[in-house]
Amino acid sequence: MAKTGEIAAFALGEKKTAMVNLPAQFVTSSTADMKGQKYSDLVDYAINSEKTNDLNNESMTDLIDLKEQFRKPGYANRNSAVTETHPIFGRDKLNYDNHDISVLRKDLDEAQKNGNNIHELAFSIRGDWLVQNNLYDPETRMIDQNKLKHAEQEVAKTLINKGFNLPLGEDENDIVWFGVIHQDTDHLNMHLWFAKKSRETRPEMLKQEGKYKGQPIGFIPLVVIEQAKRQFRKQLMSSQELRRHQEILKGVGGFKKEIIETAPENLLNDCHAKAIKQIYDALPQDMKGRWHVGNAHLTAGKGKMAKANQLTNQLLDDLFVKELKPEYEGFKSLAQDYDAINIEDQGVMHKGQRKWSENKEEELRKRLANQLYKHLAQIEDTSLNDIDQQMSELLSYVKQSNKGNNADKTKLIASPQGKKLAPKSPANNVKQNSNHIGDQMPVRGGSFNKISRLWRQDIRAETSAERQFLRNQKKVEQEKAQEEYESQISRGM
């Protein structure tokens, strides 16, 4: 990014750049001491409009390194980058006055004196995303600074409490942190600085070997940074954008649920009997009861399960182009729509990085494969004679059990073109085959009917558990929203 020479003149039309970039860096107290630098030099008092010098107006091509920030007194709240008289904010206030700055500087000096690192992270947000979420008006150049600050207050808790082996502070008063919004580059930049105040003595928080043995750990895992980015995005999204995301995710979940629920009567029928017997024959009998895809891809060519996995994947391909074609195409199309959203939010994909839609499809295929393996494990080894007759009996059983239950079944989810899919009875998709011969394939408890029945019971149990989880999540979110509202009221906000 580069300085614009203006305030809030953010670049627009950057659809392939990331919504939020969150570089993380830290400086040790020993490094700062050696160079005669003070943590407290990052902030200055709001005395007058001349408090910064021309050094703060030099051209930048990227976010300035934390070590360089110390060379620019008052870097955080320099006039050339901010619009507020008191732009610094922290845990309890959105605008620090000079008294607050005095306390902040003392706390920063204490943190440095006690040998602690100072950490800095910067959210770099492109103008398009700000406009899309009602945070920036390019005509008036006004931004919703309070909403941005509230979001960073929440993200600070995540980084401070989850970014290390233990919470960074031994209590909430053991942490000093502050933030500021800079508006003088082509992206809006939100900075966050934080440090532990008291001397670190906990072994889990100190380097145990190497050159820096005994010094506080400075590295924040990437997984925590990614979590912070997701949290930040979600908190700042407009209600319209949140609904758009939720509708697509709900649609993907709806198609997935229908595919899973209709899989038994579509897989365990006459036309797939030969393929299922081939899968059973390919399963390693010495692993019976432990048949599972695991971490491998279904198409992977190694391991004892490789042949069975590949045959199962082919069976699912056949299922998705025939009986479950509308559901599968709907699932895949909406998942790809969510890929486009991720690119808008996070930027172009890195080489080798898997798309969200690809991960979701693999999850679906693995789940169906593992369900099939689980129930094939019930087949006795005493006989593997013709399966066709059992499949025909199963078809009759499925049709009888479904009779009268599917008459009014209609999809509620719109297709990507905006058209609702026509009602479809899963039973109508099951192909009949009257040409069956041979003896039954023995199954524990009787027949393949039991496989279908148990499979359905598993699906109902999983669906019930998922619904209960969602209800609990909704309750937690409602309670959290009420707590936040009451907290705002108590602070007079």
Side-chain angles (χ1 to χ4, degrees):
M1 71 198 70
K3 280 210 170 187
T4 61
E6 302 176 77
I7 289 291
F10 307 126
L12 301 176
E14 300 179 310
K15 290 298 182 183
K16 291 188 177 181
T17 60
M19 183 286 288
V20 169
N21 181 34
L22 190 58
Q25 49 188 329
F26 69 95
V27 165
T28 65
S29 62
S30 58
T31 299
D33 291 341
M34 183 175 61
K35 295 183 178 181
Q37 298 167 341
K38 298 177 65 178
Y39 293 174
S40 57
D41 286 342
L42 288 167
V43 291
D44 202 354
Y45 297 98
I47 300 174
N48 56 55
S49 61
E50 303 300 325
K51 69 177 183 296
T52 56
N53 57 42
D54 288 339
L55 285 176
N56 292 319
N57 294 318
E58 65 185 11
S59 176
M60 289 186 192
T61 57
D62 206 342
L63 287 169
I64 189 170
D65 187 88
L66 178 55
K67 295 176 182 178
E68 294 299 315
Q69 293 173 16
F70 291 113
R71 299 181 182 180
K72 302 176 181 294
Y75 170 81
N77 52 337
R78 64 188 192 276
N79 273 3
S80 63
V82 300
T83 59
E84 299 173 306
T85 303
H86 302 288
I88 300 295
F89 65 95
R91 186 181 69 192
D92 299 318
K93 293 181 69 173
L94 298 184
N95 300 93
Y96 275 15
D97 58 25
N98 282 342
H99 171 72
D100 300 317
I101 294 296
S102 178
V103 174
L104 174 61
R105 286 169 61 92
K106 289 178 182 178
D107 287 342
L108 289 169
D109 286 338
E110 179 184 353
Q112 184 173 355
K113 180 181 178 181
N114 285 325
N116 294 308
N117 303 324
I118 185 165
H119 301 264
E120 190 240 6
L121 296 97
F123 295 87
S124 181
I125 314 172
R126 60 178 172 80
D128 294 294
W129 197 88
L130 293 170
V131 172
Q132 190 175 12
N133 289 281
N134 302 323
L135 296 167
Y136 170 57
D137 184 338
E139 293 186 6
T140 63
R141 296 190 180 179
M142 295 294 292
I143 64 173
D144 191 340
Q145 298 197 59
N146 282 359
K147 188 171 183 179
L148 289 162
K149 290 178 180 180
H150 281 307
E152 188 161 301
Q153 284 177 328
E154 292 302 313
V155 169
K157 297 176 186 177
T158 298
L159 293 167
I160 291 168
N161 293 324
K162 298 182 179 180
F164 306 90
N165 296 331
L166 297 172
L168 184 59
E170 297 179 49
D171 58 58
E172 66 175 13
N173 295 317
D174 191 31
I175 290 292
V176 52
W177 79 260
F178 66 100
V180 71
I181 300 174
H182 284 173
Q183 305 179 47
D184 59 338
T185 55
D186 52 3
H187 292 170
L188 181 143
N189 294 323
M190 292 193 67
H191 294 268
L192 168 66
W193 294 268
F194 59 89
K196 185 181 190 297
K197 288 197 293 185
S198 65
R199 184 170 296 276
E200 184 59 85
T201 58
R202 296 169 293 177
E204 299 91 339
M205 300 293 282
L206 296 171
K207 297 286 288 184
Q208 296 300 311
E209 57 185 13
K211 180 180 178 181
Y212 301 103
K213 183 178 180 180
Q215 293 190 21
I217 294 171
F219 175 73
I220 299 177
L222 181 60
V223 64
V224 178
I225 293 176
E226 290 299 321
Q227 178 185 348
K229 288 166 67 173
R230 290 193 298 271
Q231 180 184 0
F232 193 67
R233 282 196 299 268
K234 185 175 181 180
Q235 287 190 297
L236 290 174
M237 279 184 192
S238 67
S239 56
Q240 296 95 324
E241 279 300 296
L242 278 173
R243 279 197 299 271
R244 183 166 76 101
H245 286 218
Q246 290 167 354
E247 285 170 3
I248 292 177
L249 291 174
K250 183 178 179 182
V252 171
F255 279 120
K256 176 183 175 182
K257 179 174 181 288
E258 187 158 359
I259 289 170
I260 290 171
E261 289 181 346
T262 56
E265 67 262 34
N266 283 291
L267 279 175
L268 300 175
N269 71 71
D270 297 33
C271 65
H272 295 305
K274 183 178 178 181
I276 290 178
K277 186 174 186 302
Q278 289 176 337
I279 292 169
Y280 184 85
D281 290 343
L283 287 165
Q285 293 302 309
D286 60 338
M287 292 178 61
K288 191 169 185 177
R290 295 181 288 115
W291 294 335
H292 200 266
V293 179
N295 294 326
H297 299 302
L298 279 171
T299 55
K302 295 182 179 180
K304 288 187 175 182
M305 294 290 296
K307 185 177 180 181
N309 287 343
Q310 291 171 349
L311 290 171
T312 301
N313 197 55
Q314 293 171 11
L315 173 61
L316 292 176
D317 284 340
D318 191 45
L319 185 71
F320 291 155
V321 297
K322 293 178 180 177
E323 294 95 336
L324 295 182
K325 182 178 180 179
E327 292 86 348
Y328 174 69
E329 289 184 345
F331 170 86
K332 194 165 185 178
S333 180
L334 286 178
Q336 289 171 347
D337 286 347
Y338 205 74
D339 285 341
I341 287 178
N342 283 336
I343 290 175
E344 288 180 7
D345 284 355
Q346 303 173 28
V348 294
M349 304 283 292
H350 301 299
K351 186 177 181 180
Q353 186 178 358
R354 288 173 61 86
K355 295 180 180 178
W356 187 85
S357 61
E358 294 170 341
N359 290 331
K360 289 301 169 185
E361 179 168 354
E362 183 174 11
E363 288 175 11
L364 174 63
R365 286 175 178 262
K366 282 188 175 183
R367 180 167 178 176
L368 292 173
N370 287 331
Q371 286 178 330
L372 178 61
Y373 296 159
K374 175 182 177 181
H375 297 293
L376 286 180
Q378 298 171 88
I379 297 176
E380 297 285 7
D381 299 330
T382 55
S383 174
L384 290 177
N385 294 330
D386 290 306
I387 195 172
D388 289 350
Q389 183 174 341
Q390 275 298 331
M391 288 297 182
S392 180
E393 290 179 4
L394 172 63
L395 176 61
S396 299
Y397 169 80
V398 169
K399 283 187 172 182
Q400 184 65 33
S401 64
N402 284 340
K403 189 175 181 180
N405 292 336
N406 297 316
D408 300 321
K409 189 174 183 180
T410 304
K411 286 187 176 60
L412 300 177
I413 303 166
S415 71
Q417 290 76 24
K419 297 180 181 179
K420 288 192 175 181
L421 296 171
K424 179 177 69 66
S425 170
N428 292 337
N429 287 326
V430 182
K431 309 298 184 182
Q432 297 190 45
N433 183 359
S434 59
N435 299 321
H436 49 271
I437 58 174
D439 300 324
Q440 296 183 356
M441 173 184 277
V443 179
R444 293 190 188 101
S447 70
F448 257 152
N449 292 358
K450 182 180 180 182
I451 291 181
S452 180
R453 184 170 65 254
L454 293 176
W455 194 337
R456 288 174 170 278
Q457 288 175 356
D458 283 352
I459 290 170
R460 285 196 295 270
E462 290 174 2
T463 301
S464 177
E466 288 172 356
R467 287 174 178 167
Q468 183 61 46
F469 173 78
L470 292 174
R471 283 195 294 268
N472 292 340
Q473 287 291 100
K474 186 175 181 181
K475 183 178 179 181
V476 169
E477 289 175 0
Q478 289 173 339
E479 291 175 350
K480 182 178 179 181
Q482 181 64 27
E483 289 176 1
E484 290 176 351
Y485 173 76
E486 292 173 354
S487 177
Q488 289 178 1
I489 294 298
S490 67
R491 295 200 304 264
M493 300 171 65

